[in-house]
Amino acid sequence: MHGRIKLNLRSVTSVKLCEGGLFERRHMDVSENDGCAPEEDGPETDLKQPLFLERVEKEPAKKWQTVVSNRLKKHCSCTTKKVKSKILGFVPILKWLPNYKLRDWILGDSMSGLIVGILLVPQSIAYSLLASQDPIYGLYTSFFSSIIYTLLGTSRHISVGIFGVLCLLVGQVVDRELALAGYPSESSSVGGNSTGVLLASLGNETNVECDRSCYAITVGATVTFTAGVYQMLMGLFQVGFVSVYLSDSLLSGFATGASLTILTSQFKYLLGLKIPRPQGWFTLFKTWYGIFTNLGKTNICDLVTSLVCLAILIPAKEFNDRFKTKLKAPIPFELFVVIIATLASHFGHFNSEYGSGVAGHIPTGFLPPQLPSWTLIPNVAVDAFSIAIVGFAITVSLSEMFAKKHGYSVDANQEMYAIGFCNILPSFFRCFTTSAALTKTLVKESTGCQTQMSGLVSALVLLLVLLVIAPLFYSLQKCVLAVIIVVNLRGALRKFLDIPRMWRANRIDASIWLVTMATSALVNTELGLLVGVLVSALCILGRTQKAQVLELGKAGSREHYEHLSSYHGLQTHSGVAVFRYEAPIYYANQSLFKKSLYKCVGLNPVKERAQCLKRRDMTKMKSGVKAWEENNEAALAVTLVLDEKSSRRVRSLVIDCSAILFLDTAGVNALKEVRKDYGEVGIDVILTQCNTSVLDTLERGGYYSSEKDGQVGKNKLIFFTITDAVHHVQSLSVPNGGCDNQS
């Protein structure tokens, strides 16, 4: 008997390859027209030994007490070396700072830190509007996050600070809580901000009620603290791997959808309209409805200023992008526009004469630390979780992208700790949520950044602004800040131009992008992230549902099999059909697997069995019991004709399991049913090329232990190659070395 391998899964103790390994029969010509198997002991055949493999005996499972004890010893033991390793791992700056190449790196780090710091000043003030906060808190946020990430981060290049999408999410929560607390909307509040009142009330130890600005930053800081705690817990439980479930298409679609919401939210500042930010779902439509209904109240001064700033910044940004390879550093046009607009507003009295909204008083120095509001945490816990996931995913994806580009590695769990501390510690100093930002990271990289020392330089620039320069921005118009936000959305909005390319490259990824983007923009920002994750998971499941059973053919004289409909010149075997299923078989697709197999084979054994029984009953009625008993076997036997034109008759099916990654109980039962159903109509089913996981699952599921009709030995046949399986079933179908000449 050729190509038969027996494997006892319970009693083997080693892995070995017998002498000669896997061999082919040199004189066998297996084709569609010739299915003969040479005699086993014929002197004219040159046979080599088939492949025999024996499984390595698995180590006995350890008791749970032993496992727990070993883990406690591993994680709770304290040695000098382990303490040093933990400290260096938790505070990476202690590892790279002693090896800092001062002469080679200091110039690049200083230049990139200075440029990013200059860009952060106007952007920090601008994005405070998006988070519904006063400008000073944006400067605080950028300052503290730059320092903390320098100490704890593992990426050398990313810039951590204010990120537009997170500011939008925080701002939505802040506006909702302000409305629930009964504070007047921004449109009904009297101009300027009340940070000075907040400073005065905090300076006295009297129990003065919090005004609107005070309550807004209290909500923002509480959301930030809660998000940071989530990120710390995820780092503690080593769940940094969750970032791999957020695909690039999902994150890109989410960011683009959020960018549309951000763009819409800034139009009221561009036009000088004082309308409240809508809450709930479909905020995009609600915002545009509010803008169109209040279009007659447009502030002409703000509109003209916005158009002038847009006319300057858009070409300036394009200039920086086009000549970025030639420029040693991007020209800070935003800072120039902020300075010129502030001077024009101050000397033109835009606030008092034309009613233009301005940044207002920005105090110098720092506020004393303050605990978050514990009573607000239940209200913002769900929002903080989605913010934590988005912030971590953006940070890890950017850090891994730049680490791969520059040839070093980052620790995803340490990044979780770093971004968690960038949220927890600053929340005590009235800051809001931060993460890595792509635009500033690209600027940082392009200006010669080598290490996070550049983050300290950026922090020094912000410190100078906080201590000295901040009050000078009193007359800066809010519409100018809105223009800065809108101009910085160009990169995300350009993704719409890539839709045809994404669709041609991969329609599933493009569909995930479109669904996530549309849900984030049109329905709800946080819901867009959840829908994107669910759609991604459903797409993966859908691919297993779409998998079909394929019939294989042999590639000439080589022992290689491929899909018959995909390649020319493939040969089939007489009496044997080979099939492959390219997906795992589990509870969700096991019925589809059987349906696809029956369709590909061209015979539903259940229906065929019913027809055989019907024919048997008819024979019994016509010929009597004795005649029926004599012809019983013939009545139930089926010879399968796969191709009506060639009339190729098949008595055995070989299923190639090399693409089946895993099975569950339903999958094992499906294979049992297939073997049983085809066996009842006289067709053998053989599995081949199963991986060890599938073999173990089949063994545990009782696939090999069926003792019905003495089949246990036959069920335990294991084949590691399609060739061995084909030779085996051919030898069974052609007894005594005879040749089947059916055509």
Side-chain angles (χ1 to χ4, degrees):
M1 185 177 297
H2 304 302
R4 186 175 68 177
I5 300 95
K6 286 191 176 183
L7 176 62
N8 189 332
L9 296 178
R10 295 190 180 91
S11 61
V12 294
T13 58
S14 65
V15 172
K16 66 179 182 179
L17 183 64
C18 293
E19 292 184 4
L22 176 61
F23 300 98
E24 61 183 17
R25 292 156 174 77
R26 295 181 177 176
H27 302 294
M28 176 177 288
D29 182 14
V30 181
S31 65
E32 187 175 7
N33 298 320
D34 186 9
C36 298
E39 294 183 1
E40 183 174 355
D41 299 321
E44 296 181 358
T45 58
D46 183 13
L47 297 178
K48 298 183 180 179
Q49 297 298 323
L51 176 65
F52 285 85
L53 292 177
E54 295 185 22
R55 291 288 300 277
V56 175
E57 184 178 3
K58 293 184 177 180
E59 295 182 3
K62 296 180 180 179
K63 296 182 179 180
W64 69 269
Q65 297 94 333
T66 306
V67 175
V68 172
S69 176
N70 291 340
R71 295 207 171 188
L72 287 175
K73 289 179 181 178
K74 179 181 179 181
H75 294 287
C76 298
S77 61
C78 185
T79 62
T80 305
K81 184 178 180 181
K82 191 171 183 179
V83 170
K84 181 180 178 181
S85 175
K86 288 291 184 182
I87 293 175
L88 293 178
F90 190 73
V91 189
I93 191 174
L94 299 177
K95 187 182 297 183
W96 60 261
L97 188 59
N99 301 319
Y100 187 81
K101 299 178 182 178
L102 186 64
R103 185 173 299 177
D104 297 332
W105 293 348
I106 189 63
L107 181 60
D109 284 341
S110 300
M111 179 62 70
S112 65
L114 180 64
I115 296 297
V116 172
I118 292 173
L119 293 176
L120 278 173
V121 174
Q123 290 187 12
S124 299
I125 297 174
Y127 281 109
S128 299
L129 284 181
L130 198 56
S132 298
Q133 305 296 339
D134 291 341
I136 187 67
Y137 302 126
L139 294 171
Y140 287 160
T141 301
S142 296
F143 172 75
F144 284 109
S145 60
S146 296
I147 295 177
I148 295 172
Y149 189 81
T150 299
L151 300 175
L152 303 179
T154 58
S155 174
R156 303 174 191 171
H157 294 89
I158 67 171
S159 175
V160 173
I162 290 179
F163 180 53
V165 175
L166 293 184
C167 291
L168 172 68
L169 297 177
V170 171
Q172 290 174 344
V173 178
V174 170
D175 286 347
R176 184 192 69 203
E177 293 302 319
L178 285 172
L180 292 175
Y183 286 94
S185 64
E186 188 180 11
S187 60
S188 59
S189 60
V190 182
N193 62 54
S194 50
T195 308
V197 178
L198 173 61
L199 288 171
S201 67
L202 290 172
N204 301 323
E205 295 184 0
T206 55
N207 189 15
V208 181
E209 289 188 4
C210 213
D211 60 11
R212 188 180 190 279
S213 172
C214 168
Y215 194 73
I217 191 56
T218 300
V219 175
T222 303
V223 172
T224 301
F225 174 81
T226 310
V229 170
Y230 282 136
Q231 291 166 338
M232 285 290 295
L233 290 175
M234 287 188 283
L236 183 64
F237 291 108
Q238 304 287 301
V239 292
F241 65 89
V242 297
S243 62
V244 302
Y245 295 103
L246 303 177
S247 64
D248 291 340
S249 56
L250 187 153
L251 290 175
S252 175
F254 174 74
T256 305
S259 297
L260 285 177
T261 306
I262 294 171
L263 176 66
T264 301
S265 69
Q266 297 308 298
F267 261 86
K268 67 178 183 179
Y269 296 109
L270 298 179
L271 301 175
L273 300 176
K274 295 181 178 180
I275 55 178
R277 179 184 292 181
Q279 297 296 317
W281 290 9
F282 307 106
T283 55
L284 190 80
F285 301 106
K286 295 177 182 177
T287 302
W288 281 111
Y289 176 78
I291 290 173
F292 284 123
T293 54
N294 291 276
L295 204 57
K297 301 177 182 179
T298 300
N299 188 301
I300 302 300
C301 179
D302 284 341
L303 177 60
V304 172
T305 304
S306 300
L307 293 175
V308 171
C309 292
L310 284 171
I312 295 173
L313 281 180
I314 291 179
K317 286 284 189 178
E318 293 296 329
F319 176 84
N320 273 341
D321 290 343
R322 177 167 296 184
F323 297 100
K324 61 183 178 181
T325 57
K326 297 181 180 180
L327 295 172
K328 293 184 178 180
I331 302 173
F333 289 107
E334 291 175 343
L335 185 61
F336 297 156
V337 167
V338 166
I339 293 173
I340 295 171
T342 302
L343 293 174
S345 176
H346 176 73
F347 292 106
H349 306 288
F350 290 172
N351 178 240
S352 58
E353 295 291 335
Y354 305 103
S356 180
V358 296
H361 175 61
I362 304 177
T364 57
F366 293 91
L367 296 171
Q370 175 180 296
L371 291 174
S373 175
W374 307 114
T375 57
L376 278 175
I377 290 180
N379 297 355
V380 301
V382 176
D383 305 283
F385 183 76
S386 60
I387 290 173
I389 293 295
V390 173
F392 165 68
I394 296 294
T395 302
V396 171
S397 60
L398 284 180
S399 61
E400 289 181 344
M401 180 176 70
F402 283 92
K404 183 178 180 181
K405 181 178 180 180
H406 293 276
Y408 63 93
S409 61
V410 293
D411 184 350
N413 285 305
Q414 180 60 30
E415 290 295 297
M416 190 88 80
Y417 284 125
I419 201 66
F421 274 108
C422 283
N423 288 321
I424 291 177
L425 296 181
S427 68
F428 298 115
F429 295 91
R430 298 170 181 83
C431 300
F432 46 90
T433 316
T434 59
S435 73
L438 177 60
T439 304
K440 291 184 282 292
T441 300
L442 290 172
V443 171
K444 194 173 182 179
E445 181 208 25
S446 64
T447 51
C449 172
Q450 298 294 330
T451 67
Q452 282 298 333
M453 188 64 72
S454 61
L456 294 180
V457 178
S458 300
L460 289 176
V461 175
L462 293 168
L463 181 63
L464 178 64
V465 173
L466 285 168
L467 295 180
V468 180
I469 304 176
L472 300 179
F473 293 108
Y474 177 90
S475 298
L476 178 60
Q477 292 171 272
K478 291 183 177 180
C479 64
V480 177
L481 302 177
V483 168
I484 293 174
I485 294 174
V486 170
V487 170
N488 281 288
L489 296 175
R490 294 174 308 118
L493 297 178
R494 279 176 179 166
K495 289 290 184 180
F496 286 104
L497 301 176
D498 293 336
I499 293 177
R501 179 189 59 79
M502 290 190 293
W503 187 261
R504 290 191 299 268
N506 191 306
R507 293 188 177 184
I508 293 179
D509 286 344
S511 300
I512 293 172
W513 189 93
L514 288 170
V515 171
T516 306
M517 181 277 300
T519 309
S520 300
L522 304 179
V523 184
N524 182 270
T525 309
E526 296 92 336
L527 183 65
L529 183 65
L530 177 61
V531 168
V533 172
L534 293 178
V535 170
S536 298
L538 290 175
C539 286
I540 294 174
L541 292 176
R543 294 182 187 186
T544 65
Q545 304 292 305
K546 290 179 63 177
Q548 299 293 320
V549 174
L550 307 175
E551 186 178 2
L552 307 183
K554 183 181 175 185
S557 60
R558 295 179 178 270
E559 304 300 336
H560 183 74
Y561 291 78
E562 284 297 341
H563 183 203
L564 280 174
S565 300
S566 299
Y567 299 93
H568 296 291
L570 298 180
Q571 301 173 344
T572 57
H573 299 281
S574 176
V576 185
V578 182
F579 299 93
R580 176 186 294 155
Y581 188 63
E582 298 180 337
I585 305 175
Y586 61 108
Y587 70 95
N589 71 344
Q590 52 90 17
S591 60
L592 296 174
F593 160 71
K594 292 192 294 182
K595 183 178 179 181
S596 177
L597 179 64
Y598 296 162
K599 180 180 179 181
C600 188
V601 171
L603 173 72
N604 187 324
V606 178
K607 294 181 179 179
E608 186 65 30
R609 172 70 175 174
Q611 294 177 3
C612 288
L613 291 175
K614 185 176 181 181
R615 289 196 298 269
R616 183 191 67 180
D617 293 338
M618 293 178 61
T619 303
K620 182 177 179 181
M621 292 174 60
K622 293 180 180 180
S623 305
V625 178
K626 184 175 181 180
W628 169 76
E629 290 177 348
E630 292 177 353
N631 299 309
N632 184 31
E633 295 297 330
L636 293 179
V638 172
T639 299
L640 179 60
V641 181
L642 284 185
D643 190 340
E644 294 180 358
K645 294 181 179 180
S646 63
S647 299
R648 183 165 66 93
R649 301 180 180 276
V650 173
R651 292 172 295 275
S652 300
L653 305 180
V654 174
I655 300 179
D656 175 15
C657 302
S658 59
I660 299 177
L661 298 180
F662 65 87
L663 300 171
D664 66 357
T665 304
V668 175
N669 291 334
L671 290 174
K672 285 182 181 179
E673 292 171 7
V674 167
R675 185 187 63 193
K676 174 179 174 292
D677 292 342
Y678 276 114
E680 289 179 347
V681 294
I683 298 175
D684 293 328
V685 176
I686 302 295
L687 304 183
T688 182
Q689 299 196 130
C690 301
N691 62 48
T692 54
S693 173
V694 171
L695 288 174
D696 291 341
T697 305
L698 291 172
E699 175 73 10
R700 290 192 300 268
Y703 183 85
Y704 303 113
S705 59
S706 174
E707 298 182 2
K708 182 179 179 181
D709 299 326
Q711 296 290 310
V712 64
K714 184 176 180 180
N715 293 342
K716 279 190 172 292
L717 294 177
I718 304 298
F719 299 95
F720 294 98
T721 67
I722 298 177
T723 302
D724 281 348
V726 170
H727 290 169
H728 167 69
V729 295
Q730 284 182 331
S731 66
L732 292 180
S733 62
V734 186
N736 301 321
C739 181
D740 183 7
N741 293 320
Q742 288 179 314
S743 60

